[in-house]
Structure formats: structure tokens, C-alpha cells
Amino acid sequence: MAAGLTKSTVTFVGPRRVEVQHDEVGGPGPGRVLVRTRLSAISAGTELLVYRGEAPSGMAADDSIAALAGTLSFPLRYGYAAVGEVIQVGEGIDANLLGRRVFAFNPHESLLEAEQESLMEIPAGVSYEDAVTLPSMETAVNFAMDGAPLVGENVLVIGQGVIGLLTTALLAQMPLASLVTLDTVEARREMSLELGATASYDSSVPGMMDKITAAFDSHGADLVYELSGRPEALDTAIAATGYGGRIVIGSWYGTKRAPVDLGGSFHRSRIKLISSQVTTIAPELSGRWDKQRRFATAWRMVELLKPSQLVTHRFPVEEAADAYRLLDGSPGDALQVLLTYDSS
């Protein structure tokens, strides 16, 4: 039994209000294990919507993740990227699981209890800092699959946060004609180029569209990814897309709204808008792909691309409120922010 153990859990108690609460922990139930968390990763997209109160409060937090039962209304415990090692096992669980390094789709907490089946063992040789980015890499893999880039295509990625950068890194493995990215933050543009973009421009600078047009030899983009989290960026995506092109919308806008100009080139250019979300597999792929196959691909990409290079800040879990304030108030100063946990 785990009598006497106490866990620290990050709780969103209201818009821009985060508390770290402390609860006593008992031993894991039958078929369950207890994991001591080493690191958890903050999603600067989805989690900031929750933090700011911009997520639809009546919407289910995530129907596919048992640890996120309930809705997005306050108060709630949210997060979906944690790594650590198994320290106790419940009845019916093989004791050989003790000490194994695992990944869990779980909120930010120092001790987590989960069904064995919901955990993934971290491949040998993959560090905790790389492994904790698995959901972001899986999302990037899903975007690449949904966009289905072709050899020789012109591709534009709008937004170079963690998800945008990982998507860029994946696309850079493919024989594209050009891979252009947009972001307002210089450090992110520089990282984008390091990861394989052929050009990266400041989306806030006048004349930016002329640069995109020149980069694509006046043909326009064949494929655009809108990953900025800003619904108004859809106008930029449409303007950059050539005839018969496609736009993958990977951003989740929550309750944010913006008018979109569908009265110009969009209509006559037969542009296709594609909604992409990682919870499911695209229907046209589901006959040959399932989540396990996609996870296996994401793990391989984690090993190949080492996404820990995007980590800029680490905060002890007790200072979680500072981590969210940084991401909310100074997004240009941070990329991937991790919460750390006392290993004692």
C-alpha cells in the first residue's frame, strides 16, 4: 500500500487561476499501477485555452482519455503528457512492471494511478524529455498524414510553436519543392530553418504575401497547415493557397472567433479545407491505420528528431502558476515548458 504518500496536482480553478493541490494517495486498485511522475509537458495550445477560459466549458475534456473524465468547466485538472516510473502495482499486475519507465496521458500530478493498458512503455534509449513530447509528435504525424504532401509540392506552415515546429521537422524529411513557414517570433523562425524549412517569414510584416508568392514561383501553395491557433490566420492560408490546393486546419480555436473571407479567391480556386484532430484516424486511412500503428510511427519520429531540443523552460510543479503566466504573457520567450517533480 502507498499509505502516507501525498501527491501534488495542478488544478485550474478559474480563468488564469492555477492552484497546486495536495491529496493523500492510497495503493493502486486491482489492474492498476501507481506511477511516480518525473516530468510533464504543458501544451501551449490546448492548455492555454483552458487556462484563459477560452475552451467551451460544456465540452467533454477528452472522451478518449480516462484520466480526463468530465467537462472543461472550472475547476478541472487537465494535461495529457506525463512520464515516470511504476512504483507500485495492484492486484493482477505482474510485479516485473515495477521500475519500468512509462508514458501516460494524464494531468499534471506527482503521483498518478492508471490502468496498465493506458500506459506506454518508453522505448530504450529515449530520454524522459523526449518521451514527454509524444502527444505533440503524434499530432504532427497526424497532420502529415491528413495533408498527404506529394513529391515536389509547395508547402506552407503557419505557426511555429511546438506543434508547428515538429510538423515542419517531419515535412522536411520529405522531397518537397519548398517548405515555407510563418511566425512572428524570430527565435521560432530561426529554429524552423534549423529543422529544415527552406524559408521562414514574419507574418506580421507588410509585404509578407509577396515573399510567399515568390517562394512558390507564383503558383501558390499546394498545401497549407494552419497551426497558429489564430482563426484570423485562415485568411492568410486562403490567400497563399493556389488553385485546387488544400488547407489543413490543425488549430483548435476554442471560443475564439474571427470573420473569414470566403468571397474572394477561395470560391473560384476550389480550395479544400481539412479539419485535422489527433483523437481519431482519418476515415480514408482507418482501414489500414489504427492508433497503435500511429503511436509506433510517432515513437520512431521522437527517436529521430529529438524534440527535447524545443524545451526552453522547466518549473517545479509547485511553481506551475508561474509556468502558465510565462506562456500566457510572454509567448515569444518560451517554446516547450516542462513541469518537474521531486524524485524522492
Side-chain angles (χ1 to χ4, degrees), residues 28-33 89-93 113-117:
R32 298 173 70 82
V33 303
V89 298
E91 182 182 347
I93 300 297
E113 183 182 339
E115 299 284 345
Q116 179 183 358
E117 292 75 16

PDB file of all heavy atoms in Angstrom, residues 28-33 89-93 113-117:
ATOM      1  N   PRO A  28      -2.639   1.350  -5.412  1.00  0.00           N
ATOM      2  CA  PRO A  28      -3.385   1.162  -6.655  1.00  0.00           C
ATOM      3  C   PRO A  28      -4.382   0.015  -6.540  1.00  0.00           C
ATOM      4  O   PRO A  28      -4.112  -1.000  -5.902  1.00  0.00           O
ATOM      5  CB  PRO A  28      -2.287   0.846  -7.678  1.00  0.00           C
ATOM      6  CG  PRO A  28      -1.168   0.282  -6.861  1.00  0.00           C
ATOM      7  CD  PRO A  28      -1.211   1.003  -5.554  1.00  0.00           C
ATOM      8  N   GLY A  29      -5.538   0.186  -7.174  1.00  0.00           N
ATOM      9  CA  GLY A  29      -6.563  -0.838  -7.160  1.00  0.00           C
ATOM     10  C   GLY A  29      -6.219  -1.992  -8.084  1.00  0.00           C
ATOM     11  O   GLY A  29      -5.206  -1.966  -8.804  1.00  0.00           O
ATOM     12  N   PRO A  30      -7.060  -3.019  -8.116  1.00  0.00           N
ATOM     13  CA  PRO A  30      -6.818  -4.173  -8.991  1.00  0.00           C
ATOM     14  C   PRO A  30      -6.688  -3.749 -10.447  1.00  0.00           C
ATOM     15  O   PRO A  30      -7.452  -2.924 -10.944  1.00  0.00           O
ATOM     16  CB  PRO A  30      -8.075  -5.035  -8.776  1.00  0.00           C
ATOM     17  CG  PRO A  30      -8.593  -4.638  -7.424  1.00  0.00           C
ATOM     18  CD  PRO A  30      -8.285  -3.175  -7.291  1.00  0.00           C
ATOM     19  N   GLY A  31      -5.685  -4.291 -11.119  1.00  0.00           N
ATOM     20  CA  GLY A  31      -5.476  -3.979 -12.520  1.00  0.00           C
ATOM     21  C   GLY A  31      -4.876  -2.605 -12.774  1.00  0.00           C
ATOM     22  O   GLY A  31      -4.775  -2.182 -13.927  1.00  0.00           O
ATOM     23  N   ARG A  32      -4.459  -1.926 -11.717  1.00  0.00           N
ATOM     24  CA  ARG A  32      -3.939  -0.569 -11.856  1.00  0.00           C
ATOM     25  C   ARG A  32      -2.531  -0.477 -11.277  1.00  0.00           C
ATOM     26  O   ARG A  32      -2.097  -1.348 -10.517  1.00  0.00           O
ATOM     27  CB  ARG A  32      -4.869   0.435 -11.156  1.00  0.00           C
ATOM     28  CG  ARG A  32      -6.270   0.445 -11.765  1.00  0.00           C
ATOM     29  CD  ARG A  32      -7.239   1.299 -10.968  1.00  0.00           C
ATOM     30  NE  ARG A  32      -6.940   2.719 -11.076  1.00  0.00           N
ATOM     31  CZ  ARG A  32      -7.327   3.495 -12.092  1.00  0.00           C
ATOM     32  NH1 ARG A  32      -8.025   2.977 -13.092  1.00  0.00           N
ATOM     33  NH2 ARG A  32      -7.047   4.780 -12.104  1.00  0.00           N
ATOM     34  N   VAL A  33      -1.831   0.579 -11.656  1.00  0.00           N
ATOM     35  CA  VAL A  33      -0.469   0.791 -11.169  1.00  0.00           C
ATOM     36  C   VAL A  33      -0.342   2.221 -10.672  1.00  0.00           C
ATOM     37  O   VAL A  33      -1.122   3.102 -11.041  1.00  0.00           O
ATOM     38  CB  VAL A  33       0.580   0.524 -12.269  1.00  0.00           C
ATOM     39  CG1 VAL A  33       0.448  -0.890 -12.814  1.00  0.00           C
ATOM     40  CG2 VAL A  33       0.459   1.540 -13.397  1.00  0.00           C
ATOM     41  N   VAL A  89       2.207  -1.773  -7.890  1.00  0.00           N
ATOM     42  CA  VAL A  89       1.247  -2.434  -8.774  1.00  0.00           C
ATOM     43  C   VAL A  89       0.110  -2.996  -7.944  1.00  0.00           C
ATOM     44  O   VAL A  89       0.286  -3.416  -6.796  1.00  0.00           O
ATOM     45  CB  VAL A  89       1.911  -3.563  -9.597  1.00  0.00           C
ATOM     46  CG1 VAL A  89       2.998  -2.998 -10.492  1.00  0.00           C
ATOM     47  CG2 VAL A  89       2.476  -4.649  -8.683  1.00  0.00           C
ATOM     48  N   GLY A  90      -1.080  -2.986  -8.523  1.00  0.00           N
ATOM     49  CA  GLY A  90      -2.240  -3.530  -7.856  1.00  0.00           C
ATOM     50  C   GLY A  90      -2.402  -5.017  -8.135  1.00  0.00           C
ATOM     51  O   GLY A  90      -1.618  -5.634  -8.862  1.00  0.00           O
ATOM     52  N   GLU A  91      -3.436  -5.572  -7.566  1.00  0.00           N
ATOM     53  CA  GLU A  91      -3.728  -6.995  -7.737  1.00  0.00           C
ATOM     54  C   GLU A  91      -3.904  -7.324  -9.217  1.00  0.00           C
ATOM     55  O   GLU A  91      -4.538  -6.595  -9.970  1.00  0.00           O
ATOM     56  CB  GLU A  91      -5.004  -7.342  -6.971  1.00  0.00           C
ATOM     57  CG  GLU A  91      -5.396  -8.805  -7.028  1.00  0.00           C
ATOM     58  CD  GLU A  91      -6.689  -9.075  -6.293  1.00  0.00           C
ATOM     59  OE1 GLU A  91      -7.142  -8.183  -5.553  1.00  0.00           O
ATOM     60  OE2 GLU A  91      -7.253 -10.173  -6.476  1.00  0.00           O
ATOM     61  N   GLY A  92      -3.281  -8.428  -9.619  1.00  0.00           N
ATOM     62  CA  GLY A  92      -3.415  -8.878 -11.001  1.00  0.00           C
ATOM     63  C   GLY A  92      -2.393  -8.294 -11.948  1.00  0.00           C
ATOM     64  O   GLY A  92      -2.402  -8.608 -13.147  1.00  0.00           O
ATOM     65  N   ILE A  93      -1.494  -7.455 -11.452  1.00  0.00           N
ATOM     66  CA  ILE A  93      -0.472  -6.838 -12.305  1.00  0.00           C
ATOM     67  C   ILE A  93       0.869  -7.506 -12.041  1.00  0.00           C
ATOM     68  O   ILE A  93       1.271  -7.694 -10.887  1.00  0.00           O
ATOM     69  CB  ILE A  93      -0.355  -5.326 -12.040  1.00  0.00           C
ATOM     70  CG1 ILE A  93      -1.683  -4.625 -12.319  1.00  0.00           C
ATOM     71  CG2 ILE A  93       0.743  -4.723 -12.901  1.00  0.00           C
ATOM     72  CD1 ILE A  93      -2.151  -4.706 -13.742  1.00  0.00           C
ATOM     73  N   GLU A 113      -2.320   7.267 -10.766  1.00  0.00           N
ATOM     74  CA  GLU A 113      -2.792   5.886 -10.790  1.00  0.00           C
ATOM     75  C   GLU A 113      -3.510   5.656 -12.113  1.00  0.00           C
ATOM     76  O   GLU A 113      -4.321   6.485 -12.540  1.00  0.00           O
ATOM     77  CB  GLU A 113      -3.740   5.611  -9.624  1.00  0.00           C
ATOM     78  CG  GLU A 113      -4.196   4.164  -9.558  1.00  0.00           C
ATOM     79  CD  GLU A 113      -5.179   3.900  -8.415  1.00  0.00           C
ATOM     80  OE1 GLU A 113      -5.198   4.701  -7.461  1.00  0.00           O
ATOM     81  OE2 GLU A 113      -5.936   2.909  -8.498  1.00  0.00           O
ATOM     82  N   ALA A 114      -3.202   4.548 -12.772  1.00  0.00           N
ATOM     83  CA  ALA A 114      -3.767   4.316 -14.087  1.00  0.00           C
ATOM     84  C   ALA A 114      -3.920   2.828 -14.360  1.00  0.00           C
ATOM     85  O   ALA A 114      -3.246   1.990 -13.748  1.00  0.00           O
ATOM     86  CB  ALA A 114      -2.871   4.934 -15.161  1.00  0.00           C
ATOM     87  N   GLU A 115      -4.823   2.495 -15.280  1.00  0.00           N
ATOM     88  CA  GLU A 115      -4.912   1.139 -15.799  1.00  0.00           C
ATOM     89  C   GLU A 115      -3.616   0.817 -16.540  1.00  0.00           C
ATOM     90  O   GLU A 115      -3.075   1.662 -17.259  1.00  0.00           O
ATOM     91  CB  GLU A 115      -6.089   1.002 -16.760  1.00  0.00           C
ATOM     92  CG  GLU A 115      -7.456   1.275 -16.137  1.00  0.00           C
ATOM     93  CD  GLU A 115      -7.943   0.125 -15.269  1.00  0.00           C
ATOM     94  OE1 GLU A 115      -7.357  -0.986 -15.377  1.00  0.00           O
ATOM     95  OE2 GLU A 115      -8.885   0.334 -14.484  1.00  0.00           O
ATOM     96  N   GLN A 116      -3.147  -0.405 -16.385  1.00  0.00           N
ATOM     97  CA  GLN A 116      -1.922  -0.780 -17.065  1.00  0.00           C
ATOM     98  C   GLN A 116      -2.040  -0.573 -18.574  1.00  0.00           C
ATOM     99  O   GLN A 116      -1.103  -0.112 -19.227  1.00  0.00           O
ATOM    100  CB  GLN A 116      -1.587  -2.243 -16.772  1.00  0.00           C
ATOM    101  CG  GLN A 116      -0.318  -2.725 -17.469  1.00  0.00           C
ATOM    102  CD  GLN A 116      -0.041  -4.194 -17.224  1.00  0.00           C
ATOM    103  OE1 GLN A 116      -0.769  -4.861 -16.496  1.00  0.00           O
ATOM    104  NE2 GLN A 116       1.009  -4.718 -17.840  1.00  0.00           N
ATOM    105  N   GLU A 117      -3.208  -0.862 -19.126  1.00  0.00           N
ATOM    106  CA  GLU A 117      -3.395  -0.785 -20.575  1.00  0.00           C
ATOM    107  C   GLU A 117      -3.301   0.641 -21.107  1.00  0.00           C
ATOM    108  O   GLU A 117      -3.086   0.845 -22.307  1.00  0.00           O
ATOM    109  CB  GLU A 117      -4.749  -1.385 -20.965  1.00  0.00           C
ATOM    110  CG  GLU A 117      -4.873  -2.881 -20.770  1.00  0.00           C
ATOM    111  CD  GLU A 117      -5.034  -3.279 -19.300  1.00  0.00           C
ATOM    112  OE1 GLU A 117      -5.360  -2.372 -18.485  1.00  0.00           O
ATOM    113  OE2 GLU A 117      -4.838  -4.456 -18.971  1.00  0.00           O
TER     114      GLU A 117
END
